[in-house]
Amino acid sequence: MASPVSPSDADTVTDDFRVGYFPNSIAVNPVTNTVYVTTEFGVYVHGGPAGGRHLPVWGYSNVAVNTATNKIYVSTHDRYVAVVDGATYGEPDRIPVDGSILAVNEKNNKIYLGSTNALTIIDGATHATTSLPIAGRVEDIVVNPTTNKVYVLSGGTISVIDTDTVSSSINIGAGGILAVAINPVTNKIYFTTSSMYGAGIQVIDGRTDTITSSIPSGYPVGKLAINATANMIYVELERSSTDRYIQAIDPGNQMVVAEFRTPGKITDLVINEGNNKVYAPTPRSGTTIINGSNNSTSVVKTGGDSGDAAVNPVTNRVYVVDATGWNMSIIDGSVSSPVKNDFNGDGKSDVLARDIAGALWLYPGNGTGGWLPRRQVGQGWNVMTTMVSTGDFNGDGKSDILARDGGGALWLYPGNGAGGWLARSQVGQGWNVITAMVGVGDLNRDGPPDIAARDSSGTLWLYRADGRGGWLPRHWYTAGWNGLSEMIGVGDYNGDGAPDMAARDGSGALWWLFPQASAPILPKQIIGQGWNVMNSLTWPGDFNSDGWPDILARNSAGELWMYSGHGGFSWPTATKVGTGWNGMTAIL
């Protein structure tokens, strides 16, 4: 499983914008820093001197780029391949040939087009075409630029193309091969097989083009990707309809070295070998990111139906389309996500605690579930009846807190990023009708962190932050919350890219809840029993830096326990991380 790492390694979605209806295929030219996306309105161009326009290519299917010649190739439903000059963007050349699946070999300047029962080879210089018979419908084309061999997947067969002829084939059976990937460094070809033929990964030696070994799996497998630089295999794994994973496999000993939960079935699997990261979009659940350097994971929101993805290894940016919408999201691997409760600016989650005398103490986290020496960061805080850690509430990139005084005024204490505070400002009045409030993260997915608050009638409200230290109109969720003894935010508990909540009822059961805007009910599931022995619960963020949010809980003996999340629906055994905490009147 994943090992402890810094959550600051997570990427950030830096843009999300319209490219045209039903964006589908993406191709990136890292030399010109230009992205091409096929849409119903033509091929959208992002970046470069012609960014923000659509190329006049209609009836699209797929797009590919030759970065060496700066030519863009678009297969169309009108039975031609459009060739666009990326330097001039003039009227495209049209090669009359039928097909949809595209691949480019930049080394020999050949383009491969797959259709039903045929593979067409296009000479990039002369546009001359050669057609080879292929059994069945071409599903994928993978090029080995080192040997110039091409591997064509159709049904349960991989056809090997060498010097423009079908030199051999590997046949498993109809529907038997699911995905193909190549490591050109080791000259190994890998493909996943369906359960009817024995789920797992088969290994082809590129010298002989014969299967030399297999890596069996006890569960169905799917998409496949290879990090050739790190020599690591990543494969989709399905344990049940709800439990989906990506496994990292060392091809040397053919052993699983790490396993990562995903929110659901992935739609693509791409790798940035430059920063050793893996990106796996999932429908309605954003994109799961795996950092291969330390096996940390994170999930970012990338559209309502995240589909095809492409990587620019030069800029460390990844592009993900919303397959049933209009937009494309940009994930920047060079911009780290903010760390919740990082009050001292070291990239690790911290804890604040108020003692009986009203002194506020900072307990810096060490990133592995422990502490650095504490220090006092305030006095006179016993006038506050409620304190909440929000994350970056005012948009300056530093963690803040909200505090309500005895008169019902709500105050923002902006963190200065060095364990101290900037001047406070009042951001609300009349909050004494609120019986509980918690920081829940970006619940409505607009960027700034939000607050969930229960009023005296038991109604739960979402107070949406505007990202500048103020509020948007509040949103009603549900009623009936006055039977709960404590509520906490728990971050993205299930790994679907959206923050969740937890609440303890009168019997001591701890419930996991995932609020949804305008939902008539809050879906929930019990994740623990016997929590009435705890008199304080808080969510400091990812306190042990394993990529998942954690809960800290204090019992009547003053012991502080960490319950480390792992992306599932139950908490593992707790770890004691402190004693003597019964002198604290607030922990956040």
Side-chain angles (χ1 to χ4, degrees), residues 356 486 504 530-537 552-561 563 576 578-584 587:
I356 296 174
E486 190 151 10
R504 180 182 60 193
W531 283 73
N532 45 11
V533 301
M534 301 296 179
N535 54 35
S536 179
L537 304 176
L552 292 180
R554 180 188 62 187
N555 62 22
S556 57
E559 297 169 334
L560 194 65
W561 294 82
Y563 291 81
K576 186 163 64 174
T579 58
W581 284 73
N582 44 10
M584 299 299 175
I587 302 173

Side-chain angles (χ1 to χ4, degrees), residues 482-507:
N482 43 13
L484 300 170
S485 59
E486 190 151 10
M487 305 184 309
I488 57 171
V490 293
D492 182 12
Y493 179 79
N494 63 337
D496 65 353
D500 308 311
M501 292 177 60
R504 180 182 60 193
D505 64 23
S507 69

Side-chain angles (χ1 to χ4, degrees), residues 51-74:
R53 65 187 287 185
H54 282 89
L55 302 179
V57 180
W58 315 106
Y60 73 90
S61 183
N62 283 280
V63 61
V65 173
N66 187 330
T67 63
T69 62
N70 196 16
K71 295 292 179 65
I72 303 100
Y73 299 87
V74 185

